[in-house]
Amino acid sequence: MTMTPEQATWFAETFGRLVDNVGLAVLGKNQVIRLVLTAMLAEGHVLLEDAPGTGKTSLAKALAATVQGTNNRIQFTPDLLPSDVTGVTIYDQQSHKFEFHRGPIFASIVLADEINRASPKTQSALLEVMEESRITVDGIGHEVGRPFMVIATQNPIEQAGTYRLPEAQLDRFLIKTSIGYPDLASTELILAGAANRNPAAGLTAMITTSAVADMADLASSVHTDAAILRYVAELTQETRLAAETRVGVSVRGALSMIRAAKVWAAAQGRNFVLPDDVKDLAAAVWTHRLVLDPEAEFSGMTAEKIITRVLADVAAPQARKPAA
């Protein structure tokens, strides 16, 4: 059943209140907050590529506090083991049974800090849970619940001693973005509140985790016209045909766009997707999925330039509202 106009209005109002509440702890970054909330309600994950000290931890804590959820932070290091992330099964001598002890991955919002510092083996521990919202330990599956989102960070400057994220793992992040430094006015406000070392602690929960799951289900019912589906398919095909790319946007990337565009439309009070929704999200959803030819990259070509060119070359369809 398609979302009704009344439900779309409620969704947009609730989304706006969530953004404003998180914005009390992460000042001057409403666009980034909207993207991260979009990823959460599309049941995806976020990769933040940012310099240290830009508020990544504050964003994760503020988001968890806003949705009345739990928050865990995992500091990725070269000696981190997969069981340090997922948990481990331990034999209890009193009960004579094996008991599973949950790892920090069991939380509503998981901040995977400096994810590229861990070995590929430990990074791969996230692959199953990011795709299926469950982990398997000793052949037994464990659900992590809803909502569940990984916010991973990596430092674009210090690359010594790091392990580059493989394309298969990058493809599992719905959105890649960066918080960046605040503007002058926001910086002054941050400095004025320097005594408060944890601004997220004072936030009031605006919604329950079960209501977040309901919002995600509601967003999935936003109408997506066949012309929009074809538009997304044509865009992804163009990224694969581009001479500068070795690997274009995957099918998972196309599906991620549809899921994100539905949330983006509902957040603006519409129960149908427009081509502009796809254009607004294209850079955040697709640039990290492109693998460029080394020669093209050396010549100054970037994934952002390819996405911009593809959007200009492929004609957008006419927007159509769903039938009443």
Side-chain angles (χ1 to χ4, degrees):
M1 184 177 177
T2 303
M3 176 190 286
T4 64
E6 293 75 20
Q7 288 173 324
T9 300
W10 172 84
F11 190 104
E13 292 173 351
T14 305
F15 190 94
R17 287 198 298 270
L18 297 178
V19 171
D20 292 341
N21 198 60
V22 176
L24 295 175
V26 185
L27 302 178
K29 297 297 177 182
N30 274 16
Q31 180 66 8
V32 176
I33 296 170
R34 290 180 71 87
L35 285 172
V36 174
L37 271 172
T38 296
M40 170 181 270
L41 295 174
E43 299 189 293
H45 310 282
V46 176
L47 177 62
L48 296 177
E49 190 172 78
D50 243 323
T54 52
K56 299 181 289 291
T57 302
S58 295
L59 174 60
K61 287 183 177 180
L63 192 57
T66 296
V67 301
Q68 211 174 58
T70 54
N71 169 67
N72 281 334
R73 178 178 179 271
I74 308 172
Q75 181 61 55
F76 278 68
T77 57
D79 60 348
L80 192 74
L81 299 175
S83 58
D84 295 330
V85 176
T86 60
V88 64
T89 301
I90 299 176
Y91 183 73
D92 189 327
Q93 293 185 345
Q94 292 184 341
S95 64
H96 302 289
K97 293 180 180 179
F98 285 96
E99 293 184 355
F100 177 66
H101 291 251
R102 295 185 169 195
I105 199 67
F106 287 87
S108 305
I109 311 292
V110 178
L111 180 65
D113 209 6
E114 295 187 296
I115 188 174
N116 55 335
R117 291 202 177 276
S119 67
K121 183 177 182 179
T122 302
Q123 289 179 14
S124 66
L126 291 173
L127 293 178
E128 179 186 13
V129 71
M130 289 175 67
E131 186 70 19
E132 302 176 20
S133 295
R134 68 194 298 270
I135 64 166
T136 303
V137 178
D138 296 330
I140 300 175
H142 304 273
E143 302 289 334
V144 294
R146 298 173 72 195
F148 170 71
M149 180 170 67
V150 173
I151 300 178
T153 73
Q154 61 179 4
N155 188 339
I157 301 172
E158 296 178 0
Q159 296 299 325
T162 63
Y163 301 86
R164 181 177 177 178
L165 294 181
E167 283 70 26
Q169 186 158 1
L170 283 172
D171 201 36
R172 280 169 168 77
F173 287 100
L174 189 142
I175 281 174
K176 178 185 176 185
T177 185
S178 64
I179 297 178
Y181 293 112
D183 57 28
L184 185 61
S186 297
T187 301
E188 290 179 4
L189 291 173
I190 292 170
L191 295 177
N196 183 7
R197 299 179 68 88
N198 185 13
L203 296 183
T204 302
M206 304 297 293
I207 194 172
T208 63
T209 51
S210 60
V212 172
D214 291 339
M215 285 184 72
D217 291 335
L218 185 61
S220 67
S221 68
V222 170
H223 175 74
T224 309
D225 193 81
I228 297 291
L229 300 179
R230 183 168 184 84
Y231 179 53
V232 171
E234 289 175 345
L235 290 172
T236 57
Q237 186 174 17
E238 285 298 313
T239 65
R240 299 167 196 159
L241 296 176
E244 301 90 347
T245 60
R246 280 184 154 181
V247 179
V249 175
S250 66
V251 175
R252 183 188 285 118
L255 289 169
S256 296
M257 173 58 77
I258 296 301
R259 286 161 43 205
K262 287 183 175 185
V263 176
W264 198 254
Q268 297 176 67
R270 282 183 279 104
N271 63 340
F272 57 95
V273 175
L274 292 175
D276 284 347
D277 298 323
V278 176
K279 294 178 181 179
D280 290 344
L281 294 167
V285 177
W286 282 344
T287 51
H288 61 288
R289 303 175 194 271
L290 300 183
V291 179
L292 272 60
D293 182 82
E295 290 186 9
E297 199 167 7
F298 183 76
S299 300
M301 180 56 67
T302 63
E304 289 80 3
K305 290 179 181 178
I306 293 174
I307 295 298
T308 300
R309 188 183 68 201
V310 166
L311 289 173
D313 291 346
V314 178
Q318 285 292 115
R320 287 186 289 183
K321 296 182 179 182

